[in-house]
Amino acid sequence: MAFVVALLPAMRHPDQFLLLWLACAGSGALVLGPAWFGVRTLLPDWRSLAMLGCGVGVALGPIMLVGRLIKTATHHRPLGAMTYAVVACVGVLCAWVLVGRLVQLAHTSASNVLRRGAQLVLAVLLLASFGIAGLGFLGLESALASVAIDSVALLALSMLGVKFGLDLKLGAIPPPIAWLVWGLTVGAGGLMSAQLGALAASASLPLSAMAALFAQ
């Protein structure tokens, strides 16, 4: 997964494509490996993870819109940041509850019309939220837009991987081989990050956990 998402920042810097791809993949693997295999322990039912992801998706657009309004309407940055944090937390929680209720109706309702209606409402909410977020991305600086794109891609691939049980299939690989491949990936990422310096840390913030160590 880290190798796939690392293609995004690498393609934004074609002159350093291979080195940056390895650096971001190694940095991402350092975090994604333990996190991905721990997801199933924390959320054994993939539908719970899907509801969490859909809740964040439904809240994404409105939260971005509120953030833009707060930025333009307030001149007190600390107060604006605190207000945004509270609004964002409440928005995500409300969206998660709403999505959970819609999913429950879609799976347990005896009425076919109600089930279809719940699915339609959820789809419309997601499309509307992503539409608002997409318009917001157009107004972001290129660096911030790349962070948003990489984060969404990372979240989407993680959800798909857990849904289709890729972590369980990878779990069937003998541990010595799995640890060897993971170690080589992280090691190669560290070497490439040291060679690239600040570029490895700034090219993709979601994939720069290790690269930041070599950016000083």
Side-chain angles (χ1 to χ4, degrees):
M1 184 187 305
F3 280 111
V4 174
V5 182
L7 289 172
L8 295 175
M11 288 189 293
R12 291 195 290 266
H13 300 273
D15 55 325
Q16 299 283 356
F17 179 87
L18 182 58
L19 297 184
L20 189 57
W21 178 55
L22 291 174
C24 291
S27 184
L30 178 66
V31 178
L32 287 175
W36 198 27
F37 282 103
V39 164
R40 190 167 295 275
T41 302
L42 297 175
L43 293 171
D45 184 2
W46 70 264
R47 288 178 180 172
S48 299
L49 183 62
M51 283 192 293
L52 177 60
C54 287
V56 174
V58 169
L60 178 63
I63 286 175
M64 288 187 64
L65 183 59
V66 170
R68 184 177 293 272
L69 293 175
I70 291 177
K71 180 180 179 180
T72 57
T74 181
H75 300 288
H76 194 281
R77 293 303 177 92
L79 179 60
M82 184 179 299
T83 302
Y84 180 71
V86 173
V87 171
C89 289
V90 173
V92 171
L93 289 175
C94 290
W96 194 7
V97 172
L98 176 60
V99 168
R101 180 56 178 162
L102 290 174
V103 171
Q104 183 181 16
L105 287 175
H107 285 87
T108 62
S109 177
S111 172
N112 187 54
V113 174
L114 195 57
R115 288 199 303 269
R116 297 293 183 183
Q119 294 172 357
L120 179 61
V121 170
L122 180 57
V124 170
L125 289 175
L126 285 171
L127 288 175
S129 179
F130 288 140
I132 296 173
L135 294 176
F137 290 158
L138 295 177
L140 291 175
E141 298 177 1
S142 58
L144 295 179
S146 64
V147 171
I149 292 172
D150 293 355
S151 299
V152 170
L154 195 60
L155 177 62
L157 287 176
S158 298
M159 291 179 60
L160 288 175
V162 174
K163 175 180 178 179
F164 292 109
L166 294 182
D167 56 327
L168 297 179
K169 295 177 182 178
L170 292 176
I173 299 176
I177 297 178
W179 281 109
L180 177 62
V181 172
W182 183 80
L184 289 175
T185 301
V186 173
L191 291 175
M192 297 304 102
S193 296
Q195 182 172 345
L196 292 172
L199 177 60
S202 61
S204 178
L205 293 181
L207 297 176
S208 63
M210 178 173 59
L213 298 176
F214 303 95
Q216 305 300 325

